[in-house]
Amino acid sequence: MTLSPDPGADIIIFGGAGDLSFRKLLPALYMAHLHGRLGASTRIVAVGRQTWSQQQYLQFIGERSPEFIEPSAFEAGPWRGFLERLQYLSIDLADAAAYGALRALDLSNPSRIYYLATAPGLFATISGHLGAAGLVDERSRIVLEKPLGTDLASAQVINAAVARHFREDQIYRIDHYLGKETVQNLMVLRFGNAIFEPLWRAPYIRSVQISVAETVGVGSRAGFYDGAGALRDMVQNHLLQLLCIVAMEPPISLRADDVRDEKLKVLRSLRPMSAADVRRDTVRGQYAPGLDPAIRGYLQESGVGPRSRTETFVALRAQIDNARWAHVPFFLRTGKRLARRQSQIIIEWSELPFSIFGEGTAQQPNRLIITLQPEESIQLGLMAKEPGSGMSLQPVRLELDLQSSSDKRRAEAYERLLVDVMKGRLTHFMRRDELEAAWRWVDPILAGWRDDFPQPYPAGSWGPAASSALLARENLKWFEESL
Ligand code: BG6
């Protein structure tokens, strides 16, 4: 990745005083500023509803954002320089006339980036008003945060509304998992090495697990989360994107549409779930109080109604109906208030058809364990000889510690993706048809759950017991249960 600064951009963040802005976007832009990745003329306009003065906004950001910047990277001088790029503009987003204030700013950088970090219900309104105010031209790009819609129909409405003013190659649908170093590395692992490709398919692979476990609860986000739930918040986007990268065919190049064509094929090959499949192949949970009395259950969280049926945990079995993956189960799992913060992709190979080491020899299947967080590593589980006389076997791991494999700074996902937007690189963003294909697969699951109650699980556990049972019926286990 080159470190040249962008030639200059006007970055207009709608929702500029919101959570995402002060936790992720401004810290990411600060890091880009610190490392010379922002052009000298690049400026940031934060648009918000609050009728604050510039001074009040800077004070707000000064109090909130620094704690989300790695302490060793926070320096008073560069931070002051960064704040000089920042301008606050109070606009009622629903008022078309108010957008004139943006025109008055005389935004003259070579590119203009509208970042919609608002509720998706506002995406159509904002893009419509930008278009009507004559603020969209060749230089413009628009970044849409997830979740884009709440189902296929609402996503289609938003996509159609935005498409009236922006061409598809001006639209950046962000999924920050695609900006994670290890996720991008997965493409290199798969397509930059000769040894995996022949074995990366049925029948050699027995199962794939994609698990994104969080220890945090819903926190202060109940307003959004209670209307969404884990399926919309995590599975529809992050987990399905990971699944695409694991499962896709080699693209013919790294150009955006070549990669996105292959991801789309995977999404289209996902076997649609019938109501019976949803009952059999999905588990829906909600955290209840756990052993630690300081941790509340979901229903006791502030902003959550006492009878909320929102799921905070999902485990499911997906099937990709194509030649590479026929009969290989893909198990996806995500949840809040789980036992550990850990995101992993586990590729498990089938057992040897015959063992010369005799019956009863404990033999583990070979596994590729790709850990995305908290640390980043890739491990390959093999069998080796136990030292000593005899031929006993023991499991060992070849381990690649990605953090220490290079001195180069590893940018956070948002920084990397924001720089991609500035440079006009679309590869790590979702195309419209991809996003809609993901919703098309998710919709029947939402429908199948309509009258269901999620199963409670104790905070700090690995989710409802049914989650283990989902794998046990195929003689499989979640990775942490198999150790
Ligand atoms: C966000 C979800 O997209 O991803 C959050 O809205 C979730 O609910 C977060 O906590 C997880 O991101 P990360 O990078 O911390 O794994």
Side-chain angles (χ1 to χ4, degrees):
M1 189 181 295
T2 71
L3 287 183
S4 57
D6 78 279
D10 295 309
I11 305 172
I12 298 112
I13 305 179
F14 291 90
D19 257 38
L20 185 75
S21 293
F22 67 75
R23 282 171 197 266
K24 297 282 187 190
L25 304 182
L26 294 175
L29 287 167
Y30 164 74
M31 291 301 283
H33 165 85
L34 181 69
H35 291 280
R37 302 179 84 186
L38 296 187
S41 62
T42 292
R43 60 179 180 158
I44 304 159
V45 181
V47 177
R49 273 173 317 197
Q50 296 85 340
T51 49
W52 284 340
S53 66
Q54 169 82 357
Q55 200 52 37
Q56 284 170 312
Y57 180 72
L58 291 185
Q59 188 179 342
F60 171 79
I61 290 303
E63 284 165 7
R64 299 289 176 104
S65 282
E67 66 171 296
F68 298 101
I69 296 171
E70 201 186 303
S72 62
F74 186 80
E75 295 172 42
W79 176 249
R80 267 197 307 280
F82 173 69
L83 292 185
E84 278 166 21
R85 296 179 184 269
L86 199 56
Q87 179 174 359
Y88 182 68
L89 196 63
S90 165
I91 288 188
D92 172 2
L93 295 178
D95 175 10
Y99 287 66
L102 278 173
R103 236 193 349 256
L105 290 180
D106 185 26
L107 306 169
S108 52
N109 268 306
S111 66
R112 185 184 300 166
I113 297 164
Y114 298 114
Y115 198 118
L116 273 49
T118 62
L122 284 168
F123 291 177
T125 310
I126 298 172
S127 51
H129 290 342
L130 286 172
L135 285 158
V136 181
D137 60 23
E138 274 305 305
R139 290 173 300 170
S140 312
R141 293 169 199 166
I142 188 165
V143 186
L144 305 176
E145 254 300 331
K146 63 153 276 278
L148 212 149
T150 50
D151 56 12
L152 175 60
S154 56
Q156 284 172 325
V157 169
I158 295 170
N159 279 331
V162 175
R164 276 196 274 282
H165 304 283
F166 294 85
R167 288 192 318 266
E168 181 61 30
D169 65 359
Q170 295 178 298
I171 304 174
Y172 293 72
R173 295 181 192 79
I174 201 162
D175 179 320
H176 77 279
Y177 268 57
L178 294 180
K180 290 186 188 272
E181 182 70 47
T182 325
V183 176
Q184 297 188 358
N185 207 352
L186 184 53
M187 300 243 294
V188 179
L189 187 79
R190 281 198 60 196
F191 304 127
N193 291 296
I195 58 168
F196 293 117
E197 175 56 20
L199 297 174
W200 202 269
R201 59 183 65 246
Y204 306 111
I205 290 182
R206 163 100 201 268
S207 73
V208 176
Q209 295 181 18
I210 300 175
S211 172
V212 177
E214 299 185 278
T215 49
V216 291
V218 67
S220 56
R221 295 169 71 228
F224 152 72
Y225 193 88
D226 201 46
L231 188 70
R232 292 185 177 98
D233 184 43
M234 298 292 289
V235 177
Q236 188 272 344
N237 33 75
H238 304 325
L239 276 85
L240 285 184
Q241 285 296 316
L242 295 179
L243 175 139
C244 284
I245 295 179
V246 171
M248 71 187 190
E249 295 301 314
I252 57 171
S253 83
L254 283 181
R255 274 192 302 272
D257 279 338
D258 293 337
V259 172
R260 300 190 299 181
D261 284 348
E262 295 308 331
K263 286 179 16 203
L264 176 65
K265 282 190 212 160
V266 174
L267 292 165
R268 290 181 53 213
S269 322
L270 279 169
R271 186 182 299 170
M273 287 207 201
S274 65
D277 295 336
V278 173
R279 277 194 300 279
R280 193 189 53 234
D281 290 342
T282 70
V283 177
R284 193 171 175 242
Q286 185 186 70
Y287 60 86
L291 287 181
D292 181 347
I295 306 242
R296 285 180 286 202
Y298 182 71
L299 296 179
Q300 290 80 47
E301 298 278 17
S302 83
V304 174
R307 275 183 295 281
S308 169
R309 290 203 258 158
T310 301
E311 79 283 353
T312 61
F313 175 95
V314 178
L316 59 82
R317 180 191 195 279
Q319 187 78 54
I320 301 174
D321 284 334
N322 67 16
R324 187 185 283 266
W325 296 113
H327 311 299
V328 178
F330 279 70
F331 294 100
L332 311 189
R333 173 179 68 172
T334 185
K336 296 208 183 284
R337 288 275 184 243
L338 295 186
R340 257 202 313 278
R341 176 170 185 251
Q342 192 160 64
S343 302
Q344 285 184 320
I345 299 171
I346 316 285
I347 315 288
E348 183 170 311
W349 274 272
S350 304
E351 280 168 23
L352 284 168
F354 176 77
S355 170
I356 61 167
F357 299 103
E359 271 182 34
T361 313
Q363 214 164 320
Q364 279 190 4
N366 295 126
R367 295 194 186 102
L368 187 68
I369 304 145
I370 301 157
T371 305
L372 273 44
Q373 26 197 50
E375 71 287 347
E376 298 175 3
S377 67
I378 298 178
Q379 299 175 330
L380 182 62
L382 300 171
M383 295 308 294
K385 182 180 168 304
E386 202 172 63
S389 61
M391 284 294 267
S392 299
L393 307 192
Q394 63 171 357
V396 291
R397 290 200 194 160
L398 285 180
E399 178 156 0
L400 174 60
D401 173 353
L402 290 169
Q403 253 117 346
S404 53
S405 65
S406 163
D407 294 340
K408 277 202 168 164
R409 181 177 77 91
R410 303 166 81 75
E412 283 292 328
Y414 270 102
E415 180 187 343
R416 202 188 304 253
L417 292 174
L418 278 160
V419 170
D420 278 354
V421 180
M422 290 182 234
K423 293 188 183 257
R425 296 192 289 226
L426 276 156
T427 302
H428 301 299
F429 295 84
M430 281 183 286
R431 203 169 55 193
R432 175 178 182 167
D433 46 8
E434 238 186 292
L435 179 106
E436 294 182 2
W439 277 122
R440 194 166 284 118
W441 187 73
V442 162
D443 266 6
I445 306 178
L446 289 168
W449 286 351
R450 200 162 291 142
D451 303 318
D452 264 14
F453 281 86
Q455 304 179 34
Y457 60 93
S461 69
W462 281 104
S467 160
S468 302
L470 185 68
L471 279 75
R473 68 181 196 216
E474 293 178 61
N475 281 329
L476 293 167
K477 287 179 174 166
W478 288 110
F479 181 55
E480 78 281 347
E481 295 172 343
S482 69
L483 299 176

